Amino acid sequence: MSNTTNIVLFSLSGFSATANYQITLFSLTLLCYCLIVVVNVSLILTVILDQNLHEPMYVFICSLCINGLYGSTGFYPKFVFDLLSKIQVISYEGCLLQVFVIYSNVLIDYSILVVMAYDRYVAICRPLEYHSVMSVRRIAVLIGLSWLVPLCCLAISITLTSTLKLCGSKIDKLYCENWSIVKLACGSTKANNIYGLILTAFYCTHFLFIACSYVQLVKLALKSREGKRKFTQTCVPHLFCLFNVSVALLFDVMYSRYGSASLPQSVKNFMAIQFLIIPPILNPIIYGLILTKIRNKIIYLCVMTGQRFKLRVKV
């Protein structure tokens, strides 16, 4: 990755509003990161350890949780370190890497949700063909593509950004963000803008695909009591997660490109990081609470762990 500028370090000016609350924010951030790790790892282990959960839908949920851990690792460790540092800076290469991890995480989330919509469509609209359509090989291909395509998209975006000559090194955020780097460019950013529009349009088609799938699912679900039960049990959590990710992503895009400079820095900071906090926590909790098989298995594991702990204490 070639650096065509003389910029070696970026300063993260978003931390200017955190100076008086560093210890409090450090504690809350550490707690939030631990919560993300615990809820996601718990759901991943639950799916892996229970043979009854080795079904396409649960495998996709597991992939969603692994992605939540991947994205959180790109933000939280650096953020926690910066909260305790006197100077908040990040290297040019580290900045581009952080952009890659954080935003590929968001796109992977969306891709997995598309795959899950397809899975629910086949399960409810074509139940007799479900096991032949959702074969082990197809599941592996769908999961592979849901990760590979976003990673390639972000790799192209980062490559285009790395070719820009920059005239500044101040990023008005708590972390590195692609559009913030592009705005520092001295010359034309036409290629970046065009590619950004293409990428946005591509992921808008993802949303349209999900919407069309759910139109068909709702039509079918209304025809029978069994259809309603299946829709409520397996599709409602997916819709919650889709809404969660979509709103968070839209919020970030609108703020990054059209955010007002007159807003207080603390408000800007919250708007910038909410999509890094809410989806990784809510997604596994939503699936863990609503899906009966996962909820029952987690309760069973917690009870068994508690009983074993009591026995050890008595001994």
Side-chain angles (χ1 to χ4, degrees), residues 28-38 69 72-73 76-77 80:
L28 290 174
T29 302
L30 197 59
L31 179 64
C32 187
Y33 185 49
C34 290
L35 180 62
I36 288 172
V37 171
V38 168
L69 293 174
S72 300
T73 303
Y76 283 94
V80 168

Side-chain angles (χ1 to χ4, degrees), residues 227-240:
K228 288 180 182 178
R229 187 189 67 79
K230 278 187 177 181
F231 183 85
T232 303
Q233 194 174 63
T234 63
C235 297
V236 170
H238 181 261
L239 285 173
F240 272 127

